[in-house]
Amino acid sequence: MEKNLPPKLDSETLRQLATEQLVGIIMEQALAIEALKTRVIELEIVEYQRYSCICSQCGETQTADWSPEIVPGQDIGIRLQAL
């Protein structure tokens, strides 16, 4: 963005600027907004769960094995992997 902009762009300051300056500010802001819009990505989050239970007789915890369908490193979505 332009470095010699007024430090505070309130309505009074904007009224004092020339039309060309205002157009320049608006164009720079539009380009900055467009650049930010292209950086937004959607994340796909996958949560895996497994059951655990505690034996009421001995107090030992039993936990189910992870599903064999889970592949380490692929527990995130394809879009996130691509980054």
Side-chain angles (χ1 to χ4, degrees), residues 25-74:
I25 290 170
I26 292 169
M27 294 300 294
E28 285 184 40
Q29 291 296 313
L31 291 172
I33 289 169
E34 195 62 34
L36 287 174
K37 285 170 50 177
T38 60
R39 292 182 186 175
V40 175
I41 59 170
E42 291 184 27
L43 298 179
E44 178 185 344
I45 302 197
V46 179
E47 178 183 2
Y48 296 104
Q49 297 181 354
R50 59 185 181 164
Y51 292 101
S52 294
C53 60
I54 299 173
C55 177
S56 60
Q57 299 296 317
C58 68
E60 189 172 326
T61 301
Q62 294 291 321
T63 302
D65 291 334
W66 289 109
S67 169
E69 297 173 2
I70 297 174
V71 178
Q74 292 186 357

